[in-house]
Amino acid sequence: MDLRYFNQTGWTAIFSGTETEIGRMVRVEAWDPATGTALVVDPKRGAMRPVTDYEDFSHLEKADQVVAAVPGGGWRAHWKDEGPGKTPLTEQVLAWLITSQGRATAITMDAHGHVDDADSADVFIPPGEDLGQA
């Protein structure tokens, strides 16, 4: 799961692109109360705008809604070949994001302070266990 698929409304607008803009995914921020049309932020205008105002609007896709965050509690994520030179890599789980569907996604932070989801991890190691036990 990629973090860009999380948002509060549970929907993402997909745009195919134009001659001047590349294709993109944009979070649906709200719904127009009169028409029910999905609204996204237009950074150029600094305002909410209906997706149907964009010539390259393609469709909406379901996104996960985060309903809770639980501390990582000593869990670690391990990848067999994601470290430097395809070496093993283990990172601490900072938190678990819990979605409205009950899915738990581990959030990790690397040595440089970059935060990402760890869904591609080969294994999650519970607190108190090492790789030999996992």
Side-chain angles (χ1 to χ4, degrees):
M1 171 64 60
D2 192 315
L3 289 176
R4 66 183 169 194
Y5 289 104
F6 289 111
N7 69 48
Q8 290 300 67
T9 64
W11 291 93
T12 301
I14 307 300
F15 297 88
S16 58
T18 64
E19 289 182 14
T20 59
E21 282 200 78
I22 61 170
R24 61 211 178 279
M25 297 172 56
V26 180
R27 287 189 308 238
V28 171
E29 300 291 343
W31 305 95
D32 184 293
T35 65
T37 304
L39 301 173
V40 296
V41 172
D42 181 340
K44 292 177 184 170
R45 291 187 183 178
M48 299 284 264
R49 194 168 155 195
V51 293
T52 51
D53 281 2
Y54 293 87
E55 66 180 271
D56 65 331
F57 170 66
S58 173
H59 63 281
L60 297 177
E61 287 186 4
K62 193 83 173 118
D64 277 327
Q65 291 175 287
V66 174
V67 296
V70 179
W75 282 80
R76 293 175 290 150
H78 179 76
W79 295 263
K80 293 176 186 170
D81 59 1
E82 294 292 321
K86 297 282 188 187
T87 59
L89 174 67
T90 302
E91 293 179 348
Q92 293 291 323
V93 173
L94 296 176
W96 296 92
L97 298 182
I98 311 302
T99 71
S100 59
Q101 304 300 314
R103 178 181 165 87
T105 298
I107 304 300
T108 61
M109 182 172 66
D110 68 15
H112 304 288
H114 298 115
V115 175
D116 202 358
D117 66 274
D119 274 355
S120 65
D122 296 315
V123 66
F124 291 102
I125 307 165
E129 292 189 15
D130 62 30
L131 284 175
Q133 297 171 311

